Amino acid sequence: MSEAQWSPDPSEAPKKKSFPKWVWFCGGGCLLALIVGIVSLVFVGNMIKKATDPALNDAALQAVLPHDPLPEEMTINFHASIGMEQFTLMDTRGFQIQFQFHGNADGARAREQMFQKDVPEFPKDLGVMSFEDMTKGLVEVQGRELTVIRMRLQFSGIMGSMMPEEAKDQVGSMMWVDLTPPTKEGEDAEHTLVLGQITRLRGKGEITDDEVRELLKPFHIGTKR
């Protein structure tokens, strides 16, 4: 897999910073879910609290992302539908997985900014957390080549001071994955962006290709299943 190191283009004039809407979902609700997940793994091990009924969550996810029965290590513990469908899954092997489903111009714009440019337009610093060591690459999953952005998450400011030291040590790498299904010519896409986010909650080192394939194994991503 070839990867291009994140780096700004010095030939381009600085642009006014603007955060797409999906970033604020990550910085708000998703960040809270991430913190809960980290603390859960650190202090209660395999006991993960479910935000809503797991059966309802599974049915809702099945409607937008068909999947086989989830392994016993993986639980859907959060589902929100505010402008977009969003799911948070906890995996006791030490990961959090999030799925966002966008069906509008904002989704198409975010997909173009993140995955379809040589240098992704991704904000590195959100104030309470920052993203470092960003690289763009490809991962083969079920016969499809998925564009991914790897990075390392760092908490800062008031959020960094609120995080327990033991929990901070568990935070590792994270990855954004473009899961948007391909469409045939003349067809309208059901979703303009299907965004996956994988965060390592235990251990260090970047998320490997094999780990991505294992975590996405239950989900119908490609034709070679």
Side-chain angles (χ1 to χ4, degrees):
M1 176 186 72
S2 63
E3 294 190 343
Q5 180 69 36
W6 170 290
S7 61
D9 186 348
S11 65
E12 293 185 2
K15 297 180 180 179
K16 184 178 179 181
K17 292 184 178 179
S18 61
F19 295 159
K21 292 180 180 179
W22 56 266
V23 170
W24 294 120
F25 277 95
C26 178
C30 285
L31 178 59
L32 177 60
L34 174 62
I35 294 171
V36 170
I38 294 170
V39 174
S40 296
L41 281 174
V42 172
F43 293 107
V44 300
N46 292 339
M47 296 178 61
I48 300 174
K49 294 182 179 180
K50 301 178 180 62
T52 55
D53 188 300
L56 294 177
N57 283 344
D58 187 74
L61 180 58
Q62 188 75 250
V64 289
L65 181 59
H67 57 274
D68 300 335
L70 300 181
E72 61 180 11
E73 298 92 347
M74 191 178 292
T75 307
I76 308 171
N77 74 334
F78 181 79
H79 170 220
S81 182
I82 306 175
M84 64 177 178
E85 293 283 327
Q86 179 172 295
F87 298 83
T88 300
L89 292 77
M90 298 301 302
D91 192 297
T92 57
R93 292 168 289 189
F95 296 93
Q96 182 195 77
I97 307 167
Q98 295 176 21
F99 297 113
Q100 294 181 9
F101 299 84
H102 301 255
N104 50 34
D106 286 335
R109 189 178 305 111
R111 185 173 186 236
E112 179 186 5
Q113 291 173 335
M114 291 182 66
F115 298 111
Q116 296 178 340
K117 294 192 174 184
D118 293 336
V119 179
E121 294 183 11
F122 194 100
K124 294 186 65 174
D125 191 345
L126 295 180
V128 295
M129 59 183 176
S130 61
F131 306 103
E132 302 179 0
D133 301 331
M134 295 185 184
T135 57
K136 183 180 176 183
L138 297 172
V139 178
E140 187 276 326
V141 177
Q142 299 175 20
R144 282 184 61 192
E145 278 198 335
L146 303 178
T147 304
V148 303
I149 302 173
R150 286 182 167 91
M151 63 193 71
R152 185 164 50 87
L153 175 64
Q154 291 288 332
F155 291 100
S156 56
I158 187 172
M159 191 58 64
S161 64
M162 292 172 57
M163 291 287 292
E165 289 299 323
E166 191 175 0
K168 286 182 184 179
D169 292 339
Q170 301 300 314
V171 179
S173 299
M174 66 185 301
M175 173 189 287
W176 297 89
V177 188
D178 183 5
L179 299 172
T180 312
T183 55
K184 297 180 181 179
E185 186 175 354
E187 290 185 351
D188 292 329
E190 181 179 0
H191 298 106
T192 56
L193 172 64
V194 178
L195 184 63
Q197 178 186 323
I198 302 174
T199 305
R200 187 188 295 282
L201 302 182
R202 187 168 58 232
K204 298 184 182 297
E206 72 173 23
I207 300 168
T208 67
D209 292 7
D210 286 340
E211 287 173 327
V212 174
R213 284 188 277 266
E214 183 62 27
L215 291 169
L216 294 179
K217 186 177 181 179
F219 306 97
H220 298 186
I221 305 298
T223 57
K224 296 181 180 179
R225 308 197 62 259

